[in-house]
């Protein structure tokens, strides 16, 4: 917001007040164009995978900010185009169709139209109604078009009237774009490649945990340097046919130990089916660690870990490592039946060793008895309101559990969750 204020201030300093209609349109177009240009840079930084930002804010929250901000940027781009068109039509005394025709002859307007069109494609394919119908990979590739759109927008801004006449502002604008480009290349390309070369991570073993869940153990060198914390996740690119082109997010299901990383994966679609068939020795490129569901979020001595389904993975790692004495930790693990519980032996061993409470909440989500209702939770965890809660599970379960916890007196700020749908 502060950055948007500075941009608006820059616009205010440059603006020449006029009551003429074409000047009012032009001035509005100028402001919305500058704000849209600034907005896309913020959107890119949010998704640049900067470890400090990912760790401090959380990847799921960043993705939600990016989605919300993206809608505002699209609105600003549309408003900028419309205001500029109206301003030109009023100034030249032409109708809107003639104005479009003559404006398209300017190369910097053609660049703007290309950028706006690409942003439109990115926006439409990200709308919930469309995104749910296309493959994640298709959506991701279309989303990459936004980089081309930003480049087209930058050309438009430098060559067009928005920045002309202001050497200082044009220089600052170019520096801002260059900085964001360097940050993106650094964190999304250079860092992962350097890490891959340094750690030489490879699949060591794939272990069947349940009929539809496997754990993948990976070994490398100097893995302590990654400083991965329990509760965090990486984006994993397995260099095996069918998995090379995608980086899948999976949480660590155990703390880093003896140069070994472990993830536990539920088979849901094409990629996770291939993960199950990974061969030992397969090279792995891992970017991360990401995520803020770590011990740093904790504010109280007592902690409740609340897992639903495969959401047990980050909580399993935290259950072993969160500091605490006997009675401080409780793990509630929701699953439809005993057969779908994974890592059960490990959880029970940890619970015994740490004198922590462990309860399985079994049953289908449409059963009459709801084990996540406020009273049911309070019966299992009597001083519930005095706990920090770490929550990870399917979106519907996480939403219902959050509402119950709040009704049971846990302040929203003490409910720390990871969303497996957004990152
Ligand atoms: C932060 C985070 C941590 C996760 N940790 C675990 C874990 O420990 N264990 C586990 O089993 N699952 C985890 N998931 C979910 C896991 O990433 C998806 O289930 C998996 O990518 C599905 O891939 P698929 O192609 O087999 O399934 P599909 O049926 O193609 O997809 C199933 C769901 O996963 C989403 N998805 C697919 N590919 C990606 C991708 N590259 N990036 C983001 N989302 C994608 C789809 O949009 C869809 O909602 C995590 C997700 C996130 C965001």
């Amino acid at each position: 917001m502060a950055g948007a204020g500075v941009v608006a201030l820059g616009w205010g300093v440059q603006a020449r007040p006029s009551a003429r209609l074409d000047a009012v349109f032009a001035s509005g177009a100028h402001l919305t164009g500058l704000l849209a240009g600034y907005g896309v840079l913020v959107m890119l930084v949010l998704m640049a995978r900067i470890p400090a930002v990912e760790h401090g804010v959380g990847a799921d929250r960043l993705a939600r900010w990016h989605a919300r901000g993206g809608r505002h940027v699209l609105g600003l781009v549309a408003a900028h185009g419309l205001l500029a068109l109206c301003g030109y039509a009023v100034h030249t005394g032409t109708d809107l169709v003639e104005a479009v025709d003559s404006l398209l002859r300017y190369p910097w307007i053609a660049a703007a139209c290309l950028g706006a069109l690409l942003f439109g494609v990115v926006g439409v394919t990200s709308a919930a109604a469309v995104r749910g119908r296309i493959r994640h990979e298709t959506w991701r590739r279309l989303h990459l078009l936004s980089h081309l759109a930003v480049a087209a927008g930058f050309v438009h801004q430098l060559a067009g009237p928005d920045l002309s006449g202001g050497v200082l502002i044009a220089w600052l604008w170019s520096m801002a774009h260059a900085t964001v480009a360097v940050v993106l290349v650094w964190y999304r390309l250079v860092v992962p490649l350097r890490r891959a070369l340094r750690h030489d991570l490879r699949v060591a073993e794939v272990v069947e945990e349940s009929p539809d869940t496997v754990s993948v153990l990976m070994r490398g060198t100097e893995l302590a340097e990654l400083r991965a914390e329990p509760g965090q996740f990486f984006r994993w690119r397995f260099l095996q046919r069918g998995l090379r082109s995608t980086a899948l997010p999976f949480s660590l299901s155990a703390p880093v130990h003896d140069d070994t990383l472990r993830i536990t994966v539920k088979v849901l679609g094409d990629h996770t089916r291939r993960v199950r068939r990974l061969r030992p020795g397969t090279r792995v490129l891992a970017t991360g660690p990401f995520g803020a569901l770590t011990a740093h979020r904790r504010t109280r001595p007592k902690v409740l870990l609340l897992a639903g389904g495969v959401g047990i993975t980050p909580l399993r790692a935290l259950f072993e490592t969160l500091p605490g004495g006997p009675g401080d930790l409780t793990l509630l693990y929701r699953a439809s039946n005993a057969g779908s519980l994974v890592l059960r032996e490990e959880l029970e061993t940890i619970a015994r060793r740490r004198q922590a409470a462990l309860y399985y909440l079994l049953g289908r989500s449409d059963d009459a008895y709801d084990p996540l209702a406020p009273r049911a939770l309070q019966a299992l965890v009597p001083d519930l309101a005095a706990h920090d809660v770490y929550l990870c599970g399917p979106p519907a379960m996480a939403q219902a559990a959050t509402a119950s916890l709040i009704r049971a007196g846990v302040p929203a700020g003490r409910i720390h969750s990871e969303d497996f749908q957004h990152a």
Side-chain angles (χ1 to χ4, degrees), residues 203-210 213-217 262-265 275-276 278 343 346:
V203 173
E205 198 183 350
V206 178
V207 180
E208 192 98 2
E209 301 285 0
S210 81
T213 307
V214 293
S215 284
V216 181
L217 280 102
R262 186 184 75 175
I263 54 173
T264 301
V265 176
V275 167
R276 182 187 216 160
L278 276 170
L343 310 173
E346 293 178 15

Side-chain angles (χ1 to χ4, degrees), residues 339-360:
S340 55
L341 294 169
V342 294
L343 310 173
R344 190 170 174 171
E345 258 176 54
E346 293 178 15
L347 294 171
E348 289 168 9
T349 307
I350 296 169
R352 265 194 309 276
R353 185 170 50 75
R354 305 200 62 186
Q355 296 178 47
L358 167 65
Y359 300 101
Y360 302 120

Side-chain angles (χ1 to χ4, degrees), residues 222-254:
E222 313 295 343
L223 294 186
E225 286 175 11
L226 293 172
R227 298 216 210 119
E229 292 178 44
Q232 291 195 297
F233 71 95
F234 284 78
R235 292 188 171 83
W236 311 89
R237 193 181 293 272
F238 299 99
L239 300 190
Q240 185 168 300
R241 205 163 154 237
L243 286 170
R244 258 187 210 101
S245 64
T246 188
L248 299 164
F250 295 114
S251 306
L252 294 174
S253 62

